[in-house]
Amino acid sequence: MVDVDLSQLPFTLLDDEGRDHIRRGIDLAYFDRDEIILETGQVGEFVFLIHKGEVAEIDASLPSSTSRIGHYTPGDIFGAISILNGKSRYRFKAEQECLCYLLPKALFQQLCSRYPTFSDFFRQSLTHKARLLTEKRAEGGVAMAGFMLAKVSECMREPLLVAASTDIASAVKQLNDSHADSLLVDTQGTLGMVTKTDLLNGLVLGSCDVTSPLDEIAHFNLVTVEPDQYLFEVLVLMTRHKVARVVVMENSVLSGVVELTDVLSYFSSRSFVVTLQVEQATSLEALAAASQRTPELVKALMTQGVKLRFAMDLLAALNGRIMSKAWEFTVGEGYRQHSCMMVMGSEGRGEQILKTDQDNGLILADDVQWPDLSADMKKLTNTLVQLGYPPCPGNIMVSNAEWVGTVSQWKASIAKWARERDGDSLMKLAIMLDAHAVAGNPSLLESVREELFARCSDDELLLSYFARTALRFSTPLTLFGSLKKPQHGIDIKKGGIFPIVHGVRTMALERRIKATSTLDRLDALASDGRLDRRFADDLGEALSLFAELRLKQQLDALEVESGQGVDQQAQAASRANRVVVQTLSSLERDLLREALHIVKDFKQRLSHRYHLEYS
Amino acid sequence: MSGIWLLDRHVALFSGSLRTLLRRESDRRRCADSPYAWLFQPYMGEELVALTCHVTPTVSSPVISLAAIVFNQQRILTSQAFVLSLGAAGQADNASLRRHRLLCQAGEITPPSSGNLSALVEFIGNRPVVGWQLDQRIGALNALLSARLNFELPNAQVDVAKLHQRQLRRVHPEVDAPSSFAQALACWQVPAMGATHSVLGEATASALLYMRLQRVMAEAV
């Protein structure tokens, strides 16, 4: 029997006997460099398992620049689909000298008929190939199933119960105050419901005026459910009774209301629910509860294949609202117009999807008098910690006096940093460049940013120093342009995300672009003419790919780490940046390699533009 | 036409020593009327057979594990490999035997018989035989063959070890230390295919090494 490694998918779908069959039935074949292994339209006779070498899949009908549609490396399988389809749709060519195991057609078909899961694997990868990566995520049926199994109790609102004698005017006021659109009316033990439509109809078409009691327009034939019923049952009930709200009764005691919009947004992405919770929060606890639901929201968005850029925008908006709520809870009304809270780093760029840490600072107007400033800021930082934003290890927080200052103090420090140009100053300049106002008076930040551009944008020497950091980490590609594959994975943050973010930041500084998000900056640079539109788009796509890969790992880590110690969490966080190439599918691997090539190209452009060749 | 025939037919005879040459010719004459006569015919096809023998001397009779694989310049037909362990049945399971089993992984040990030996020679046919240090390792098998079937392996033999040494000297004229099989595989970047722990793996690897050396020689010309 041949000693071949069958411990990978799809062979793990077989039992020992099936694997022994393979070991007994395979041959070895050698292919020279550039030799065509399987031609387009050729009848598939074998399944190829690569032992050594690399194989390219080529669509000969496409122009040569885009014709390479797949890339296979040791351990990968090809040719199975040609057997299932009868003949090969594409051309397979050896890119290097190749050694492949050949699994004959007859044996393969025999295995397929005997092991349905094995056969499914290939049929599934047929569809998987046809779709693109983003669409593939939609097949994450597991997460969707989770939503289908949601219970009523997870999605109900607090009931708003008023007495039957309440007049319409105060009912409307109550509705507005609590961001709701229906009220429950209590009339001697029986419950009735008044919706905004009922109010409208009563006032305009009916004979009511603002002082009429509610029970004149209330409906008393309510649909009720139990809190442990499934949410989709509620959806069915609503459809059947043509209503948009049901009342939740637990042992004939009122416990909540479920609205159609809630159910629908729960099934779609829950974004509405979280946003609503943030807006409705009147206490810190309620806000923290809403804030804790964001990872769940991210997961839902990713499951549905929402493009990362839009997910980022939504999350940035949501985080901004949470922060500004926290700000409103802690900072007195009088100071709000004379100060500006800014977030920096990934949060400032709007690229922080999961809460990693807080980077924030405060700008004060020059003439403000704020005696208990430091106490207030400490309180703000602690509030944010409670809301699930861990403290920054670099202490870039409003509780640190260094990151709180008046406009003129900030301008002075920027001038100092631009003059000194040492590592620390450059880092602080980079942090300030990404600053984004979330609460208070944004014009204060604008004036600081103007100063930053005035000091730095024309200083070629400073720009060159500034850009150099982008080249600090090497791109994880081998000399021959294929992916490096260390066992512990490649660091996607250092190798991919950081060079793009920092390089784009440098260019934005040079061109005085005010946008803070990298993707927006790329757009601006392209319309500015500084970057070729196509290249800018490529860079944006590459960044999204890296961010997505990282996000996937972060979400996995989140699931693992809940309930573990603090150091394990820190370890998991650092591991989240590492992508183990061996675990990716060949399509993902291909995309990753292309993306890293774009990064490499970008670095070369940077070193050419900012004269970094010899530094 | 007849001249070329004669040359092809006897080209196999020019390899090996004078003793083997004479021995082979007398074998051929003796077997002219036996069912094995075709084995002495010159081979005109493209295929070769990679052969590996492992001999472990034990108290009674040596245990021979062997693997033979047919291959051509493109494919190695591992699925039709011939793997066999020959030795006296019912031997005590001593340390050297256990070690042999670990090294060869060639399955149950069967006593040599004219049946399984003729299956082997018919599998090999008249194709040239390729192997690592073939002339040293094939001795025990030849002894069995001449005892049971009255002839030794008549095939043309290619020793990959010699090919390797020759090619190595071309690249580095000063090298003359003989290298091991594993070193030779590493030297030509041939994957080991489990050569260290099974006869089949070793036969596969020697076929690959032969293919690689053929290519290297073709490039050098």
Side-chain angles (χ1 to χ4, degrees):
Chain A
M1 267 191 293
V2 186
D3 190 16
V4 51
D5 178 25
L6 299 179
S7 61
Q8 302 263 340
L9 269 176
F11 301 111
T12 44
L13 302 172
L14 305 173
D15 54 10
D16 282 341
E17 196 192 337
R19 281 193 285 269
D20 278 358
H21 262 293
I22 293 188
R23 289 206 178 91
R24 258 187 222 111
I26 53 175
D27 288 339
L28 257 179
Y30 172 93
F31 299 99
D32 241 332
R33 209 183 141 162
D34 290 337
E35 192 173 340
I36 290 170
I37 300 176
L38 196 60
E39 183 55 275
T40 314
Q42 192 181 334
V43 176
E45 291 292 343
F46 299 103
V47 177
F48 298 82
L49 167 63
I50 304 179
H51 180 76
K52 192 187 170 212
E54 289 177 19
V55 174
E57 184 177 7
I58 292 168
D59 187 348
S61 62
L62 294 176
S64 61
S65 58
T66 53
S67 65
R68 261 188 55 143
I69 55 173
H71 185 249
Y72 299 85
T73 48
D76 289 346
I77 290 179
F78 63 93
I81 295 160
S82 311
I83 290 182
L84 294 176
N85 283 352
K87 55 189 180 182
S88 174
R89 216 164 355 144
Y90 304 114
R91 174 189 295 163
F92 292 87
K93 198 167 103 177
E95 290 221 302
Q96 300 168 1
E97 286 182 307
C98 270
L99 208 52
C100 300
Y101 288 106
L102 307 186
L103 182 66
K105 185 178 178 177
L107 176 56
F108 175 69
Q109 283 168 339
Q110 203 184 330
L111 287 170
C112 276
S113 64
R114 234 168 97 194
Y115 302 93
T117 48
F118 182 71
S119 154
D120 286 347
F121 175 83
F122 292 101
R123 290 179 201 278
Q124 187 191 5
S125 77
L126 188 71
T127 47
H128 152 114
K129 266 274 177 62
R131 296 183 203 163
L132 270 174
L133 205 60
T134 40
E135 290 171 323
K136 196 193 74 182
R137 274 201 315 262
E139 81 185 19
V142 189
M144 274 317 282
F147 294 132
M148 291 308 287
L149 292 176
K151 298 272 175 81
V152 168
S153 52
E154 293 171 45
C155 178
M156 68 188 186
R157 299 182 179 203
E158 285 293 303
L160 282 173
L161 193 61
V162 293
S165 53
T166 318
D167 61 7
I168 291 183
S170 51
V172 171
K173 194 163 177 297
Q174 173 113 42
L175 280 176
N176 284 344
D177 284 350
S178 47
H179 298 269
D181 36 37
S182 66
L183 286 170
L184 287 174
V185 186
D186 190 5
T187 335
Q188 291 118 36
T190 48
L191 281 175
M193 182 173 279
V194 178
T195 66
K196 277 187 176 171
T197 321
D198 294 335
L199 288 171
L200 192 63
N201 285 342
L203 287 172
V204 178
L205 302 176
S207 54
C208 308
D209 58 24
V210 287
T211 53
S212 324
L214 279 178
D215 55 355
E216 285 181 19
I217 51 171
H219 292 281
F220 292 93
N221 47 348
L222 299 182
V223 182
T224 60
V225 291
E226 293 279 315
D228 54 352
Q229 271 181 289
Y230 288 115
L231 209 49
F232 65 80
E233 290 181 82
V234 174
L235 205 54
V236 173
L237 279 176
M238 285 178 176
T239 319
R240 188 171 299 150
H241 296 281
K242 296 189 194 122
V243 294
R245 285 160 201 89
V246 296
V247 180
V248 186
M249 304 289 271
E250 189 170 13
N251 303 328
S252 54
V253 176
L254 174 68
S255 68
V257 176
V258 178
E259 299 209 3
L260 183 61
T261 37
D262 293 346
V263 179
L264 291 182
S265 69
Y266 202 89
F267 282 130
S268 62
S269 62
R270 312 188 194 188
S271 59
F272 177 73
V273 179
V274 178
T275 329
L276 202 71
Q277 275 187 344
V278 170
E279 292 307 326
Q280 283 178 337
T282 49
S283 67
L284 200 56
E285 288 73 37
L287 194 59
S291 167
Q292 267 165 13
R293 295 186 67 174
T294 50
E296 186 182 336
L297 170 65
V298 172
K299 220 179 274 180
L301 289 172
M302 296 312 286
T303 312
Q304 283 160 0
V306 172
K307 219 167 161 33
L308 196 68
R309 177 169 191 168
F310 304 120
M312 277 181 183
D313 285 350
L314 180 64
L315 264 293
L318 212 53
N319 275 337
R321 282 304 297 154
I322 294 175
M323 294 247 179
S324 99
K325 274 262 178 180
W327 163 267
E328 280 164 25
F329 287 152
T330 45
V331 174
E333 187 97 44
Y335 301 122
R336 291 186 198 162
Q337 267 313 301
H338 304 289
S339 56
C340 171
M341 180 182 165
M342 55 186 176
V343 290
M344 295 172 287
S346 59
E347 228 174 307
R349 292 193 305 274
E351 283 157 18
Q352 187 178 40
I353 299 184
L354 295 174
K355 301 182 183 80
T356 47
D357 54 8
Q358 41 173 316
D359 291 333
N360 43 34
L362 187 75
I363 304 176
L364 299 167
D366 276 337
D367 51 357
V368 76
Q369 297 295 321
W370 194 338
D372 43 1
L373 174 68
S374 73
D376 276 354
M377 286 304 119
K378 283 225 163 59
K379 202 172 140 208
L380 180 56
T381 296
N382 288 336
T383 311
L384 288 175
V385 171
Q386 278 177 13
L387 290 178
Y389 300 86
C392 169
N395 204 9
I396 305 173
M397 293 187 291
V398 282
S399 56
N400 179 359
E402 209 183 321
W403 291 93
V404 176
T406 60
V407 172
S408 44
Q409 278 170 340
W410 276 111
K411 286 182 177 173
S413 0
I414 284 171
K416 179 168 153 276
W417 293 335
R419 204 168 50 239
E420 282 176 358
R421 282 188 218 131
D422 57 6
D424 193 43
S425 309
L426 289 174
M427 190 185 80
K428 284 177 176 159
L429 279 178
I431 292 172
M432 268 316 280
L433 258 177
D434 289 344
H436 175 75
V438 284
N441 184 356
S443 66
L444 298 174
L445 177 61
E446 282 311 304
S447 75
V448 172
R449 201 193 300 279
E450 283 307 322
E451 175 75 7
L452 187 60
F453 286 147
R455 291 274 173 193
C456 308
S457 296
D458 300 318
D459 189 343
E460 276 292 319
L461 206 53
L462 179 75
L463 284 176
S464 168
Y465 274 97
F466 195 70
R468 187 184 297 164
T469 328
L471 307 187
R472 205 169 116 203
F473 307 109
S474 64
T475 316
L477 289 170
T478 62
L479 191 58
F480 305 106
S482 55
L483 286 171
K484 283 185 182 169
K485 295 179 187 167
Q487 286 299 317
H488 52 271
I490 56 181
D491 191 324
I492 200 89
K493 187 177 178 189
K494 287 180 182 167
I497 298 176
F498 179 74
I500 297 185
V501 166
H502 192 71
V504 170
R505 187 192 284 149
T506 313
M507 289 186 160
L509 174 61
E510 186 202 343
R511 305 303 309 170
R512 299 177 182 237
I513 288 165
K514 285 182 187 158
T516 52
S517 125
T518 305
L519 295 171
D520 290 346
R521 279 173 175 167
L522 278 170
D523 270 350
L525 283 169
S527 21
D528 187 68
R530 181 71 190 76
L531 275 180
D532 185 32
R533 169 65 67 181
R534 242 192 90 166
F535 190 66
D537 289 349
D538 279 354
L539 272 178
E541 283 303 315
L543 183 67
S544 312
L545 177 78
F546 297 139
E548 242 181 79
L549 282 173
R550 188 162 70 136
L551 179 62
K552 216 187 279 175
Q553 307 230 1
Q554 282 172 338
L555 286 175
D556 290 350
L558 263 185
E559 271 179 13
V560 173
E561 80 190 12
S562 47
Q564 287 182 349
V566 178
D567 1 325
Q568 276 160 316
Q569 286 191 15
Q571 269 180 17
S574 77
R575 227 178 299 129
N577 283 331
R578 299 201 163 268
V579 171
V580 179
V581 177
Q582 288 86 333
T583 59
L584 299 179
S585 75
S586 63
L587 185 62
E588 283 174 314
R589 223 182 287 171
D590 235 22
L591 285 174
L592 181 60
R593 192 172 49 87
E594 286 294 319
L596 286 174
H597 273 284
I598 291 167
V599 173
K600 205 172 155 191
D601 192 14
F602 184 53
K603 280 181 170 177
Q604 258 159 19
R605 287 182 192 220
L606 280 179
S607 54
H608 181 71
R609 165 62 187 85
Y610 298 106
H611 314 289
L612 306 174
E613 288 92 341
Y614 305 108
S615 57
Chain B
M1 187 65 197
S2 67
I4 297 170
W5 258 110
L6 208 72
L7 193 70
D8 268 333
R9 189 169 156 188
H10 290 93
V11 97
L13 303 181
F14 295 120
S15 64
S17 64
L18 186 65
R19 199 194 69 82
T20 54
L21 191 145
L22 292 174
R23 163 90 202 187
R24 185 177 295 149
E25 188 56 19
S26 74
D27 280 350
R28 186 179 75 80
R29 284 167 193 276
R30 197 159 356 96
C31 296
D33 294 326
S34 76
Y36 300 112
W38 70 280
L39 298 178
F40 293 86
Q41 295 287 320
Y43 181 67
M44 307 300 286
E46 297 276 295
E47 290 177 342
L48 301 100
V49 176
L51 182 69
T52 299
C53 297
H54 256 284
V55 184
T56 305
T58 56
V59 209
S60 48
S61 65
V63 178
I64 310 175
S65 283
L66 46 89
I69 306 177
V70 178
F71 69 102
N72 57 27
Q73 277 307 317
Q74 175 116 64
R75 303 250 311 259
I76 302 176
L77 305 176
T78 44
S79 56
Q80 290 146 40
F82 190 98
V83 183
L84 184 65
S85 269
L86 297 170
Q91 284 196 45
D93 198 10
N94 59 28
S96 61
L97 205 58
R98 274 203 298 279
R99 190 167 158 273
H100 177 89
R101 281 217 175 98
L102 270 181
L103 272 177
C104 300
Q105 286 191 355
E108 278 302 296
I109 293 178
T110 49
S113 67
S114 50
N116 52 29
L117 284 173
S118 78
L120 172 67
V121 293
E122 271 164 19
F123 178 81
I124 297 175
N126 53 355
R127 293 178 275 224
V129 171
V130 175
W132 179 261
Q133 294 181 342
L134 200 58
D135 23 354
Q136 295 152 41
R137 300 200 183 177
I138 212 168
L141 175 65
N142 271 339
L144 271 181
L145 283 175
S146 55
R148 304 272 169 170
L149 303 179
N150 260 336
F151 63 88
E152 294 183 356
L153 269 188
N155 311 54
Q157 293 172 6
V158 181
D159 190 340
V160 221
K162 281 184 186 156
L163 273 184
H164 161 67
Q165 283 297 341
R166 194 195 316 159
Q167 212 48 43
L168 206 58
R169 265 199 299 280
R170 280 179 85 146
V171 187
H172 309 287
E174 67 277 13
V175 171
D176 55 2
S179 43
S180 71
F181 189 44
Q183 282 168 336
L185 292 177
C187 170
W188 301 106
Q189 289 157 19
V190 174
M193 318 296 298
T196 45
H197 57 262
S198 84
V199 271
L200 182 62
E202 190 179 332
T204 316
S206 55
L208 282 173
L209 183 58
Y210 175 80
M211 283 158 73
R212 165 56 65 108
L213 288 171
Q214 288 293 304
R215 266 167 244 264
V216 170
M217 283 191 287
E219 276 167 25
V221 171

